[in-house]
Amino acid sequence: MLAISNGGEDASPLRFLLEDHQRSWVDAVRPFVTKPVVGVGRFTSPDTTVAAIRSGRLDVIGAARPLIADPFLLRKIQEGRLDEIVECLGCNVCISRIQVSARLICTQNATSGEECRRGWHPERFSVARNRDNDVLVVGAGPAGMECARVLARRGLRRVRLVEAQDEPGSSMRWISALPRLSGWGRVVDYRKHQLDRFTNVELIASTELAVEDVIDTGPSS
């Protein structure tokens, strides 16, 4: 077993090292070994992952963080469901939590660490008992978008997602515009794409709501 980098480089966050950043090291070693080559380097894109295997550069890819974000990553690649893949952001909130002996969490996967404790599943949603109701979600930041997505998956009759800005995303829109943080935009892009697929979700942008507006919404009839 040959280890070239330290653990910090193997699990580097997005802002410091790009995806597949160890490629040059693997390419330098590959011609001189006959054993299977296992590589890491924050493989998040299915295209990059498949290309590394098909080209013969790697025999096995170690992908801990991508599988935390989407436990069904490999199955979705095999079945061609690329638009359903929840890509790891490389934000490393998972690693930072582990280092302080806290419960594992993931920015992209709210069910991570809750599968056994609460019975949450990232791909299975029970139908809500009150599915005949309408729901108002105020604020289309990542949390509001995720809330609307789950409510839609649970079959609520109509989900209205109201946002004061002209586009969803809230602070993540300008954060992902910072140098080396464009990948963080996936937290918005994924949810926006998913919401577009639901007929029971309505995104109402450029609309501010006062407390009175929310109260006037009232219960569904």
Side-chain angles (χ1 to χ4, degrees):
M1 178 178 180
L2 175 63
I4 299 176
S5 66
N6 59 39
E9 290 176 321
D10 289 340
S12 172
L14 166 67
R15 69 187 317 170
F16 297 123
L17 292 172
L18 299 176
E19 181 183 22
D20 193 16
H21 60 269
Q22 296 186 3
R23 175 170 184 163
S24 60
W25 300 346
V26 173
D27 291 345
V29 170
R30 182 86 211 203
F32 302 98
V33 299
T34 57
K35 301 295 184 181
V37 176
V38 180
V40 295
R42 203 177 53 77
F43 283 84
T44 60
S45 165
D47 295 326
T48 304
T49 303
V50 171
I53 298 295
R54 286 184 174 174
S55 67
R57 289 199 306 108
L58 291 172
D59 297 296
V60 179
I61 293 176
R65 288 172 294 171
L67 289 173
I68 294 174
D70 191 337
F72 304 99
L73 172 63
L74 299 181
R75 181 185 300 172
K76 290 176 181 177
I77 292 177
Q78 290 175 332
E79 296 177 355
R81 296 186 288 134
L82 304 186
D83 61 334
E84 298 180 27
I85 292 175
V86 187
E87 286 194 42
C88 168
L89 307 180
C91 65
N92 275 17
V93 65
C94 55
I95 295 176
S96 65
R97 296 276 293 187
I98 292 173
Q99 290 175 340
V100 295
S101 301
R103 181 179 61 81
L104 178 75
I105 63 173
C106 174
T107 302
Q108 283 282 60
N109 179 8
T111 68
S112 181
E114 299 287 358
E115 299 89 341
C116 294
R117 192 163 75 97
R118 300 192 188 186
W120 289 0
H121 191 287
E123 301 286 330
R124 297 175 191 159
F125 295 86
S126 60
V127 176
R129 292 186 215 176
N130 60 344
R131 59 185 177 277
D132 293 332
N133 290 338
D134 297 342
V135 179
L136 172 67
V137 180
V138 181
M145 297 174 75
E146 178 68 4
C147 178
R149 183 184 77 88
V150 173
L151 290 171
R153 286 289 301 268
R154 297 198 65 189
L156 271 296
R157 181 173 62 184
R158 181 167 56 179
V159 180
R160 289 172 173 165
L161 179 60
V162 180
E163 169 57 40
Q165 300 182 37
D166 59 350
E167 289 286 340
S170 188
S171 60
M172 195 56 68
R173 294 176 61 189
W174 65 263
I175 290 174
S176 60
L178 296 174
R180 304 296 292 269
L181 288 182
S182 61
W184 285 23
R186 295 183 191 127
V187 76
V188 174
D189 295 340
Y190 168 76
R191 284 158 182 82
K192 187 175 185 303
H193 175 70
Q194 293 299 309
L195 291 175
D196 289 342
R197 302 172 67 178
F198 292 109
T199 58
N200 57 336
V201 175
E202 179 184 7
L203 173 61
I204 305 172
S206 303
T207 302
E208 294 190 21
L209 295 180
V211 174
E212 296 76 15
D213 298 321
V214 176
I215 294 176
D216 288 343
T217 301
S220 59
S221 57

Short mmCIF file of all heavy atoms in Angstrom, two decimals, residues 6 10 12 16 25 51 54 56 60 68 79 81-82 86 92 116 138 141 150 153 155 174 177 190 202 212 218 220:
data_model
loop_
_atom_site.label_atom_id
_atom_site.label_comp_id
_atom_site.label_asym_id
_atom_site.label_seq_id
_atom_site.Cartn_x
_atom_site.Cartn_y
_atom_site.Cartn_z
N ASN A 6 -1.14 13.16 3.04
CA ASN A 6 -1.66 12.97 4.39
C ASN A 6 -3.19 13.03 4.36
O ASN A 6 -3.79 13.34 3.34
CB ASN A 6 -1.09 14.02 5.34
CG ASN A 6 -1.41 15.45 4.91
OD1 ASN A 6 -2.51 15.72 4.44
ND2 ASN A 6 -0.47 16.36 5.07
N ASP A 10 -6.21 14.12 1.51
CA ASP A 10 -7.16 13.12 1.01
C ASP A 10 -8.60 13.61 1.14
O ASP A 10 -9.45 13.30 0.32
CB ASP A 10 -7.00 11.80 1.77
CG ASP A 10 -5.71 11.08 1.42
OD1 ASP A 10 -5.14 11.39 0.35
OD2 ASP A 10 -5.27 10.23 2.21
N SER A 12 -9.63 16.95 1.56
CA SER A 12 -9.59 18.41 1.53
C SER A 12 -10.94 18.99 1.12
O SER A 12 -11.65 18.41 0.31
CB SER A 12 -8.52 18.87 0.53
OG SER A 12 -8.58 20.27 0.34
N PHE A 16 -9.94 24.46 -1.21
CA PHE A 16 -8.49 24.31 -1.27
C PHE A 16 -8.01 23.42 -2.41
O PHE A 16 -6.98 23.69 -3.03
CB PHE A 16 -7.96 23.79 0.07
CG PHE A 16 -8.21 24.72 1.22
CD1 PHE A 16 -8.90 24.29 2.33
CD2 PHE A 16 -7.76 26.02 1.17
CE1 PHE A 16 -9.14 25.15 3.39
CE2 PHE A 16 -7.99 26.90 2.22
CZ PHE A 16 -8.68 26.46 3.34
N TRP A 25 -0.63 12.26 -9.25
CA TRP A 25 0.09 11.27 -8.46
C TRP A 25 -0.25 9.86 -8.93
O TRP A 25 0.63 9.00 -9.07
CB TRP A 25 -0.26 11.41 -6.98
CG TRP A 25 0.08 12.76 -6.42
CD1 TRP A 25 0.88 13.71 -7.00
CD2 TRP A 25 -0.37 13.31 -5.19
NE1 TRP A 25 0.96 14.82 -6.20
CE2 TRP A 25 0.20 14.60 -5.08
CE3 TRP A 25 -1.19 12.85 -4.17
CZ2 TRP A 25 -0.03 15.42 -3.98
CZ3 TRP A 25 -1.41 13.66 -3.08
CH2 TRP A 25 -0.84 14.93 -2.99
N ALA A 51 -15.37 8.20 -15.68
CA ALA A 51 -14.21 8.35 -16.58
C ALA A 51 -12.95 7.78 -15.96
O ALA A 51 -12.13 7.16 -16.65
CB ALA A 51 -14.01 9.81 -16.95
N ARG A 54 -13.36 3.85 -16.27
CA ARG A 54 -13.36 3.35 -17.65
C ARG A 54 -12.03 3.56 -18.34
O ARG A 54 -11.64 2.76 -19.20
CB ARG A 54 -14.47 4.05 -18.44
CG ARG A 54 -15.86 3.54 -18.09
CD ARG A 54 -16.92 4.19 -18.95
NE ARG A 54 -18.25 3.61 -18.71
CZ ARG A 54 -19.36 4.06 -19.25
NH1 ARG A 54 -19.33 5.10 -20.08
NH2 ARG A 54 -20.52 3.48 -18.98
N GLY A 56 -9.21 3.27 -16.96
CA GLY A 56 -8.21 2.40 -16.37
C GLY A 56 -7.26 3.12 -15.42
O GLY A 56 -6.34 2.49 -14.89
N VAL A 60 -10.51 1.18 -8.23
CA VAL A 60 -11.49 1.41 -7.17
C VAL A 60 -11.37 2.86 -6.72
O VAL A 60 -10.27 3.41 -6.66
CB VAL A 60 -11.26 0.48 -5.96
CG1 VAL A 60 -12.29 0.76 -4.86
CG2 VAL A 60 -11.33 -0.98 -6.37
N ILE A 68 -21.98 9.90 1.74
CA ILE A 68 -22.75 10.49 2.84
C ILE A 68 -23.82 11.39 2.25
O ILE A 68 -24.98 11.38 2.69
CB ILE A 68 -21.83 11.28 3.79
CG1 ILE A 68 -20.86 10.33 4.51
CG2 ILE A 68 -22.66 12.06 4.82
CD1 ILE A 68 -19.82 11.04 5.35
N GLU A 79 -28.00 3.18 -13.18
CA GLU A 79 -29.33 3.25 -13.78
C GLU A 79 -29.52 4.49 -14.64
O GLU A 79 -30.61 4.71 -15.20
CB GLU A 79 -30.39 3.21 -12.67
CG GLU A 79 -30.39 1.90 -11.89
CD GLU A 79 -31.39 1.90 -10.74
OE1 GLU A 79 -32.01 2.96 -10.50
OE2 GLU A 79 -31.54 0.85 -10.09
N ARG A 81 -29.63 7.59 -13.72
CA ARG A 81 -30.44 8.64 -13.08
C ARG A 81 -29.53 9.76 -12.57
O ARG A 81 -29.55 10.12 -11.40
CB ARG A 81 -31.26 8.04 -11.94
CG ARG A 81 -32.28 7.02 -12.42
CD ARG A 81 -33.18 6.57 -11.29
NE ARG A 81 -32.48 5.71 -10.34
CZ ARG A 81 -32.56 5.85 -9.01
NH1 ARG A 81 -33.26 6.83 -8.49
NH2 ARG A 81 -31.93 5.02 -8.22
N LEU A 82 -28.76 10.33 -13.46
CA LEU A 82 -27.76 11.31 -13.07
C LEU A 82 -28.38 12.58 -12.52
O LEU A 82 -27.80 13.25 -11.67
CB LEU A 82 -26.85 11.63 -14.26
CG LEU A 82 -26.14 10.44 -14.92
CD1 LEU A 82 -25.17 10.93 -15.97
CD2 LEU A 82 -25.42 9.58 -13.88
N VAL A 86 -27.39 13.54 -5.64
CA VAL A 86 -27.14 14.65 -4.70
C VAL A 86 -25.62 14.74 -4.53
O VAL A 86 -25.02 13.94 -3.81
CB VAL A 86 -27.83 14.40 -3.35
CG1 VAL A 86 -27.71 15.63 -2.47
CG2 VAL A 86 -29.29 14.02 -3.55
N ASN A 92 -17.18 19.94 3.99
CA ASN A 92 -16.51 19.25 5.09
C ASN A 92 -17.17 19.46 6.46
O ASN A 92 -16.52 19.31 7.49
CB ASN A 92 -15.03 19.62 5.16
CG ASN A 92 -14.19 18.78 4.24
OD1 ASN A 92 -14.72 18.13 3.33
ND2 ASN A 92 -12.88 18.77 4.44
N CYS A 116 -31.28 5.50 11.80
CA CYS A 116 -31.71 4.57 12.85
C CYS A 116 -32.44 5.28 13.98
O CYS A 116 -33.43 4.77 14.50
CB CYS A 116 -30.49 3.83 13.41
SG CYS A 116 -29.70 2.73 12.22
N VAL A 138 -42.31 30.12 3.82
CA VAL A 138 -41.80 31.48 3.65
C VAL A 138 -40.28 31.45 3.62
O VAL A 138 -39.63 31.05 4.58
CB VAL A 138 -42.29 32.40 4.79
CG1 VAL A 138 -41.76 33.81 4.58
CG2 VAL A 138 -43.81 32.40 4.85
N GLY A 141 -34.63 29.88 0.76
CA GLY A 141 -33.23 29.54 0.93
C GLY A 141 -33.11 28.03 0.88
O GLY A 141 -34.10 27.32 0.63
N VAL A 150 -39.63 18.14 0.47
CA VAL A 150 -40.10 17.01 1.27
C VAL A 150 -41.62 17.03 1.37
O VAL A 150 -42.28 15.99 1.26
CB VAL A 150 -39.46 17.04 2.67
CG1 VAL A 150 -40.08 15.97 3.57
CG2 VAL A 150 -37.95 16.83 2.57
N ARG A 153 -42.93 15.71 -1.83
CA ARG A 153 -42.76 14.26 -1.90
C ARG A 153 -43.77 13.52 -1.02
O ARG A 153 -44.16 12.40 -1.33
CB ARG A 153 -41.33 13.88 -1.45
CG ARG A 153 -40.24 14.20 -2.45
CD ARG A 153 -40.28 13.30 -3.67
NE ARG A 153 -40.14 11.90 -3.37
CZ ARG A 153 -38.99 11.22 -3.34
NH1 ARG A 153 -37.86 11.87 -3.59
NH2 ARG A 153 -38.94 9.94 -3.07
N GLY A 155 -46.76 14.40 -0.64
CA GLY A 155 -48.07 14.44 -1.27
C GLY A 155 -49.00 15.55 -0.84
O GLY A 155 -50.22 15.46 -1.08
N TRP A 174 -24.83 34.32 -3.21
CA TRP A 174 -23.59 35.10 -3.24
C TRP A 174 -22.42 34.33 -2.66
O TRP A 174 -21.26 34.54 -3.06
CB TRP A 174 -23.77 36.45 -2.52
CG TRP A 174 -24.03 36.39 -1.04
CD1 TRP A 174 -25.23 36.46 -0.42
CD2 TRP A 174 -23.04 36.29 0.00
NE1 TRP A 174 -25.08 36.39 0.94
CE2 TRP A 174 -23.74 36.30 1.24
CE3 TRP A 174 -21.66 36.19 0.01
CZ2 TRP A 174 -23.10 36.20 2.47
CZ3 TRP A 174 -21.01 36.10 1.24
CH2 TRP A 174 -21.72 36.10 2.45
N ALA A 177 -20.72 32.42 -5.27
CA ALA A 177 -20.02 33.27 -6.24
C ALA A 177 -18.62 33.65 -5.77
O ALA A 177 -17.84 34.23 -6.53
CB ALA A 177 -20.83 34.55 -6.50
N TYR A 190 -29.62 21.59 -7.00
CA TYR A 190 -30.29 20.29 -6.88
C TYR A 190 -31.75 20.47 -6.47
O TYR A 190 -32.66 19.88 -7.06
CB TYR A 190 -29.57 19.41 -5.86
CG TYR A 190 -30.36 18.18 -5.47
CD1 TYR A 190 -30.45 17.09 -6.33
CD2 TYR A 190 -31.05 18.12 -4.26
CE1 TYR A 190 -31.21 15.97 -5.99
CE2 TYR A 190 -31.80 17.01 -3.91
CZ TYR A 190 -31.88 15.94 -4.78
OH TYR A 190 -32.63 14.84 -4.44
N GLU A 202 -45.47 25.56 -6.05
CA GLU A 202 -45.48 26.84 -6.75
C GLU A 202 -44.46 27.76 -6.10
O GLU A 202 -44.56 28.06 -4.91
CB GLU A 202 -46.87 27.47 -6.69
CG GLU A 202 -46.95 28.82 -7.39
CD GLU A 202 -48.31 29.49 -7.22
OE1 GLU A 202 -49.14 28.97 -6.46
OE2 GLU A 202 -48.52 30.54 -7.86
N GLU A 212 -49.12 39.80 8.79
CA GLU A 212 -50.53 39.82 8.44
C GLU A 212 -50.83 39.00 7.20
O GLU A 212 -51.87 38.33 7.09
CB GLU A 212 -51.02 41.26 8.24
CG GLU A 212 -50.96 42.14 9.50
CD GLU A 212 -49.56 42.59 9.84
OE1 GLU A 212 -48.66 42.46 8.96
OE2 GLU A 212 -49.33 43.04 10.97
N GLY A 218 -54.33 31.74 6.08
CA GLY A 218 -55.33 30.91 6.75
C GLY A 218 -55.23 29.44 6.42
O GLY A 218 -54.44 29.02 5.57
N SER A 220 -56.31 25.80 4.83
CA SER A 220 -56.90 25.42 3.53
C SER A 220 -58.36 25.05 3.75
O SER A 220 -58.77 24.57 4.80
CB SER A 220 -56.13 24.25 2.92
OG SER A 220 -56.16 23.14 3.80
#
